[in-house]
Structure formats: C-alpha cells, structure tokens
Amino acid sequence: MPPATPPCDNTCPYSGDGDCDDGGPGSEYQYCAGGTDCDDCGWRVPSPPPPPLCQLHAELVLVVDQSGSMWNHRFAMRAMLKSVAFQFELHPDLARLAIVLFASSSQIATPLTTNLTEVASVIESYTPAGLTAISAAMLDAESVLAASRTTSPPPKRIIILFTDGEQSVSFGGDSDAIAVSTAVRERTSAEVYAVGFGGARRATLEAIAGRGNAFLGSSVQDIQSWLQDMCTRVSSPRIPPPLAPL
C-alpha cells in the first residue's frame, strides 16, 4: 500500500495573497503553520502550529516612519511590522492595535482595532515618500489613545516608534521631537519604545522612549530580532544589557 499523502491545505488566513506565509523554505513570512498556505507556498509537509499569541490587555499604537529614506527598506519594513503586530491576539477583551504613519505629515492609518485583516492591509500599503515629522505622529498617537474606551481594569498603553532618521529641521528637529514625545508619554501614561536604524540617533531614541526602551540597530532585521518577543518585553519591563557600539 502506498504511504498516506500528508495533508496540504489553505487554512492560513493569508492564503492566496501572493506571499508564502508558512515559515518554510522560500517563505516571505512566518505567520502560519507549514502546509496551510499551499496555494502560495506549494506542497508542504505540515509542521507543528506556531506558538500561542500573546494574550495581553493592552492598547498598542505603532508609529511608523514612511519618509522617503525608507523606500529601499519598504519590503523589510512590511515584514517587520507584521512580525510585531501578529504577535498579539487582537480581541475586544485583550489587545487592540492602531497604526500611525508619518512622513511630511502624519495620519492615523487605522484607529484601535481588533481586525487583523485591516492591520495587514495598512501594512501592505506602506509606501515611503517625504520628510520626517515625528512630533506630529506622536501627537496622533496621543489622539488615538485619548479616543479609547474606558475599561476596568484599564489596558496597558504602549507606543512603539519606528524610524530611520532624525526629525526634519523644518519640523523643529530632534529637540522638538523629544519635547513633544516626552509630553505625550507623561499625558498618556503610555510605555513608549523607540527603535531605529540608519540615520537615527541613539540619544534621541533614548530621550523619546525613556531609559531602557530604546534600540538602535544597523538594519530593519536587527529591529525585528529585538522585537521578536514583544510580549515578554512589555509584560515584564526590564532594562536590557548595554549595546555594543555600532
């Protein structure tokens, strides 16, 4: 009797989007178990399911730099943003997530939501162009949190800033970005993380986020590695070890 044929299906929520999402050889993303995205990945032998999603009562705002200098990193940024957003179980009683995009101006691309398809659509539309207006984006993040509903107990508030450079001089430079971000952090009582690469300055990131919540890498992949267990990082805040000079 011939051996049984292993199952291969399209139960991955992102099946049919043109990207292989099962984490196997040649895949673009690792959001689903092996053998569940066969239209995009081809034949696979199923692998064990991915680890459980983070169940955290939180409101997360991703504040994302899409200035022109990000153009060459747009595909890596999309993958990195998905890797962060998809760590959390989005549910009305657990985490809700919003995305603020900024370049020469800022926009709330999606308010706090539990709709993962909406989040993924915003990330896929990420198209860099323009200058860098960090201050406006942080004020938009404050607006997102101000519009959130009141619950008991209150959710943990988290803002994560992603950038590859300094705030443009026409918007007040880094000094204004630091002053505005500090005020937003105090008014919202949010835990702020600032991660950057390229032309971003470590001192600016640390001033924006507060001690222990800043990271400067040499690439988008460095940032993705630092944020790969965001659940543990935000659930058990700790000061990371000093980073080696770049």
Side-chain angles (χ1 to χ4, degrees):
M1 177 181 295
T5 302
C8 190
D9 56 40
N10 293 294
T11 54
C12 171
Y14 307 103
S15 182
D17 65 356
D19 294 323
C20 178
D21 300 300
D22 72 354
S27 62
E28 283 84 9
Y29 305 110
Q30 188 174 1
Y31 304 137
C32 303
T36 63
D37 192 14
C38 290
D39 279 355
D40 295 323
C41 304
W43 191 262
R44 302 286 204 197
V45 175
S47 62
L53 297 176
C54 178
Q55 295 189 338
L56 181 69
H57 185 41
E59 294 175 339
L60 300 100
V61 185
L62 307 186
V63 180
V64 185
D65 185 345
Q66 65 169 3
S67 59
S69 57
M70 285 288 204
W71 178 258
N72 291 335
H73 309 287
R74 63 193 183 281
F75 298 114
M77 281 293 293
R78 290 170 187 165
M80 184 271 294
L81 292 170
K82 285 184 178 180
S83 75
V84 174
F86 292 5
Q87 291 180 36
F88 297 88
E89 181 170 351
L90 301 186
H91 185 277
D93 296 326
L94 294 171
R96 297 191 299 152
L97 186 142
I99 298 177
V100 173
L101 300 174
F102 68 94
S104 297
S105 60
S106 175
Q107 62 168 318
I108 300 172
T110 177
L112 290 167
T113 182
T114 59
N115 188 329
L116 193 58
T117 300
E118 180 181 357
V119 170
S121 177
V122 168
I123 293 172
E124 283 299 326
S125 68
Y126 175 81
T127 305
L131 302 177
T132 307
I134 295 174
S135 296
M138 292 299 288
L139 290 172
D140 273 347
E142 181 179 21
S143 296
V144 167
L145 294 175
S148 66
R149 66 182 187 273
T150 302
T151 63
S152 182
K156 188 181 186 76
R157 290 178 155 187
I158 301 164
I159 299 173
I160 309 176
L161 168 69
F162 304 86
T163 184
D164 77 333
E166 303 175 31
Q167 173 153 273
S168 301
V169 174
S170 56
F171 302 122
D174 277 359
S175 60
D176 187 78
I178 291 169
V180 170
S181 299
T182 300
V184 168
R185 194 172 72 230
E186 292 174 350
R187 289 194 296 259
T188 61
S189 299
E191 189 167 319
V192 177
Y193 292 82
V195 294
F197 70 102
R201 297 176 63 246
R202 187 189 306 278
T204 299
L205 298 176
E206 290 177 346
I208 287 174
R211 187 167 178 260
N213 287 354
F215 176 76
L216 178 64
S218 59
S219 66
V220 177
Q221 288 74 18
D222 282 350
I223 294 174
Q224 184 167 335
S225 296
W226 193 74
L227 295 172
Q228 66 182 350
D229 187 10
M230 199 60 193
C231 186
T232 299
R233 191 175 297 278
V234 300
S235 300
S236 304
R238 62 194 185 283
I239 298 176
L243 302 170
L246 296 178

